[in-house]
Structure formats: structure tokens, C-alpha cells
Amino acid sequence: MANYTIAVLPGDGIGPEVVNEAVETLKVISQVFNHNFTLNYGLIGGSAIEAEGTALSGFTLEVCRKSDAVLLGAVGDPRYDKPDNDIRPEDGLLAIRKGLGLFANIRPVKVYQELENNTRFKPEAIRSTDFVFVRELTGGVYFGKPKRRWETTRGRRAVDSMVYSEQEIARIVRVGFELARQRKKQLVSVDKANVLMSSRLWRQVTDEVAREYPDVTLEHLLVDACAMKLVQDPRYFDVVVTENMFGDILTDEASVLAGSLGMLPSASLAAVPGAGLKIFGLYEPVHGSAPTIAGQDIANPIATILTTAMMLRYSFNLEQEASAIETAVQEVLAQGYRTSDIINESGTIVGTSKMGQLVRSKLV
Ligand code: IPM
Ligand code: MG
């Protein structure tokens, strides 16, 4: 029997409800496949500010460091949204990414056949879209220095800096190549090399790394062109790799293809994944804390349940268990069960906990 330690950070808003369904799913997996998951809970975001005075305490970070993986719900609380607020729940997210070295954010975008009528696109334009975004998560303009605001005689000024080292570029691009190798072997690298210095370095380093992956086809795409291509022809993509802010923007755009943010899981990894490796990672749904629907048992837990599949795959190297969860989700959708964000004419509407139960019922 294998032992795995998981730090669980439910966070704010709908975070605790959806994380609960994910945790229950892990418990069923542990029984069916005979594993032992030890769960250590911690606070992050608004709930941490409330209890500990900071969006991410050293204590929580320590709990995460001592674990094999982290499961996170969502962070964000409207009470801290004022522009001049100096502690924000989102700081907890940036601090945990940086603090745990989670440089590789993996966001799969999959259009389920059952949901192809739920989007704003013509079903035939998005049918069987299935690609993976690899977003750099600990560098670029989010963290680059100088980053400050000051007064001049002619008024206020502010600066952020998009900074990348060749090592930072090479390691994230490698993640893209490794994932492409396990898929259709097509990697698109997104930059703004016609304008930005950091993008020119990005492109050069990407071409250098590409020599290690002659079996993968590499294409460079400018970020504006990529934004267009994503909605024009999403099936074009297999694996996309890009820097932090471009990835932030493009993954929100791509999420619309799936019909609901409530369907999209993500993984943030601390190393380049490769065959047979167990790597430390943080797993969270792409959606936010959705405070307006919190505590009402209506949030879609599927994204968070699917993050546990990613955890089993990338951090524990348990592919069979991961696929079992993904298949269970697919089966529940095929039977017509829907949370309110993905409801259509023929579906049966269910709440958060019922959706979780249905998925678990397919695992036993
Ligand atoms: C995301 C979010 C975060 C980001 C925010 C909440 C800081 O938008 O994970 O995409 O910009 O990275
Ligand atoms: Mg975002």
C-alpha cells in the first residue's frame, strides 16, 4: 500500500464545497485502489487573512512543503477588492506559486461531446477540441523588477517589468515538448517577438531546446494571432506554451470553448514532467471563488474533481486511477446529469454534492 501526503487548502467562496467533493473522490480512490492518502488542511486567501492576518502564512507553506501534492480550491473575497487594499487574497496565490517553485501551469482545454451545444460557438467549430496550455507561472511581468509606483512633478507613474532568463524559458518550453511528445507531437510557442525583447529571447531559446525534440513539430505564433486562432480554429492546437501573462489571458479565452469554467482543472508543477516521474505540484480548478453562489450547493465540482485526476497522474504517477476519475466524469455527463452552469434542455439538474456522489458511484 502506497502512502501519499496531500495538503488541502480549500480557500474562499465555493472553494470549500468543491474541494470537499474532490477529497471524497480521493477517499474512494484510496479504497478501490488500496492507497493511503494523508490529508493536512491549511488556510489561504481571504480565509487566511481573517484567521492569520496574511493571505499565505509560513505555517501553511510548511504544510505544503511537507506534502507530496497540494489541492487548492479557490482564492478571492470581494471584501478585499478595493484598489488601495494592501493585503489581497490573490497575493496568497502568487506567494504559493513562487514559494513552492511552481513554474509550470498546465491547463487542459477539452470540449466534451455532451457539452458541445453549451457554448457560444457552433458545435461543429469546436467539436472534439482537446489541447493543453502550458503557462509559465513564476516569472515574467508578474514578478519582474522594477515593479513600483512613484510620484513625479508631472504626476504619478508606475512600472512593471517583463523579465525572463534563458533557464526559465528553457525549463517551461521543455514542459511543452514533453507533453507534446505524449500527445500529437505538435507544439505551438506563443510570444510577441515582433515587439518584445523578452519574446525574442524566448523564441531563440525555444528553437535551441527544440533540437532535443526532433520528433515534435514546433511552430511560433504571435500572441495576437494566437488569440484569434483560438476562437477561429481551436482544433488546430495540441500543446501551447507561453509566458505568464500571455498564458493568463489566453487560458481565460480558451476556457470559453469548454462551455463552463466549472469544467476546467489545472496543475502547477515544480519540475518538468516525464515518463514515470513523480513531481510536486499544486492542483486547482481554473475557476475562481464565485462568492455570489458560495454555500448554496450549486457550484460545479467537476473541475476540482478533475484536478485530483491530474494530481494522481503527475504527482503520484497513478495513471490508471487518474483515468478512472476522468472516465467517471464522462459517464455522469453522458447520463445527462448537469450542474446549473452546464444545464441544457434534456439534462437533469443536480447540486454540488449530488454531482460529486454521482462521479464517485462510477468508481466503485
Ligand atoms: C489565474 C488568475 C490569477 C493569475 C490571479 C487570481 C492572480 O487569474 O490563475 O489565472 O493572474 O494568475
Ligand atoms: Mg487568470
Side-chain angles (χ1 to χ4, degrees):
M1 179 145 110
N3 283 299
Y4 304 93
T5 306
I6 304 168
V8 183
L9 315 181
D12 305 320
I14 59 172
E17 305 163 58
V18 292
V19 161
N20 186 47
E21 297 313 315
V23 163
E24 292 302 318
T25 306
L26 284 170
K27 286 183 186 162
V28 172
I29 290 287
S30 75
Q31 286 154 13
V32 175
F33 293 89
N34 202 22
H35 303 298
N36 188 18
F37 298 131
T38 305
L39 308 177
N40 294 322
Y41 281 79
L43 297 170
I44 190 167
S47 55
I49 297 177
E50 207 88 319
E52 303 173 330
T54 163
L56 179 73
S57 67
F59 175 75
T60 300
L61 208 51
E62 236 0 80
V63 169
C64 295
R65 285 209 177 101
K66 287 196 189 117
S67 306
D68 300 306
V70 182
L71 174 65
L72 188 139
V75 160
D77 184 329
R79 285 178 299 174
Y80 301 99
D81 268 352
K82 289 182 231 77
D84 52 357
N85 227 327
D86 41 72
I87 329 184
R88 299 166 153 273
E90 288 78 5
D91 297 341
L93 210 51
L94 298 181
I96 201 168
R97 288 172 181 171
K98 197 72 176 172
L100 300 175
L102 304 166
F103 68 89
N105 183 217
I106 299 177
R107 297 185 169 182
V109 178
K110 183 174 154 75
V111 176
Y112 287 85
Q113 196 200 326
E114 291 79 8
L115 301 183
E116 64 183 30
N117 291 310
N118 285 48
T119 78
R120 297 173 177 277
F121 298 85
K122 293 200 191 89
E124 59 274 20
I126 54 160
R127 184 162 298 146
S128 49
T129 290
D130 184 349
F131 61 89
V132 181
F133 249 102
V134 179
R135 169 190 173 193
E136 203 290 327
L137 205 58
T138 52
V141 74
Y142 273 53
F143 296 95
K145 300 266 168 51
K147 182 185 203 70
R148 66 186 188 100
R149 183 180 145 137
W150 70 100
E151 308 270 342
T152 74
T153 48
R154 283 182 296 154
R156 290 164 293 177
R157 304 197 78 172
V159 64
D160 293 284
S161 310
M162 193 183 277
V163 185
Y164 273 106
S165 70
E166 61 173 294
Q167 291 80 4
E168 283 176 304
I169 299 168
R171 67 180 181 178
I172 190 69
V173 165
R174 269 200 186 92
V175 175
F177 277 110
E178 288 293 334
L179 294 189
R181 209 166 233 185
Q182 294 161 28
R183 299 173 49 100
K184 290 189 227 146
K185 299 188 164 47
Q186 284 165 11
L187 179 65
V188 170
S189 169
V190 177
D191 63 39
K192 188 67 185 172
N194 53 348
V195 178
L196 301 177
M197 268 314 194
S198 56
S199 281
R200 284 180 209 143
L201 179 63
W202 180 283
R203 201 172 270 218
Q204 198 173 16
V205 173
T206 303
D207 283 331
E208 288 160 14
V209 174
R211 290 186 210 129
E212 298 165 34
Y213 297 88
D215 52 321
V216 176
T217 311
L218 168 68
E219 182 191 351
H220 298 286
L221 208 56
L222 294 172
V223 62
D224 47 353
C226 179
M228 209 162 68
K229 191 92 181 158
L230 272 175
V231 284
Q232 246 172 11
D233 186 13
R235 283 175 294 191
Y236 182 78
F237 296 102
D238 180 29
V239 180
V240 186
V241 64
T242 192
E243 70 87 41
N244 201 344
M245 190 169 67
F246 296 162
D248 178 45
I249 299 167
L250 294 176
T251 54
D252 259 29
E253 185 192 5
S255 72
V256 190
L257 298 162
S260 169
L261 272 175
M263 295 299 298
L264 297 170
S266 88
S268 301
L269 308 178
V272 180
L277 289 179
K278 290 184 189 170
I279 57 187
F280 183 79
L282 177 146
Y283 300 84
E284 61 177 318
V286 171
H287 65 69
S289 59
T292 55
I293 61 160
Q296 298 169 45
D297 194 39
I298 53 177
N300 186 350
I302 291 180
T304 317
I305 291 172
L306 289 173
T307 67
T308 63
M310 295 185 87
M311 177 188 291
L312 296 167
R313 174 172 296 125
Y314 291 116
S315 285
F316 305 161
N317 201 16
L318 298 172
E319 179 56 39
Q320 201 192 341
E321 290 80 342
S323 308
I325 293 176
E326 289 161 349
T327 307
V329 166
Q330 186 108 41
E331 284 171 9
V332 171
L333 292 175
Q335 288 185 337
Y337 293 107
R338 302 279 186 274
T339 42
S340 56
D341 57 314
I342 50 172
I343 190 69
N344 50 19
E345 312 82 62
S346 57
T348 310
I349 194 157
V350 296
T352 309
S353 53
K354 180 72 188 172
M355 182 56 96
Q357 274 167 30
L358 286 163
V359 172
R360 292 192 291 278
S361 71
K362 304 290 179 197
L363 291 171
V364 290

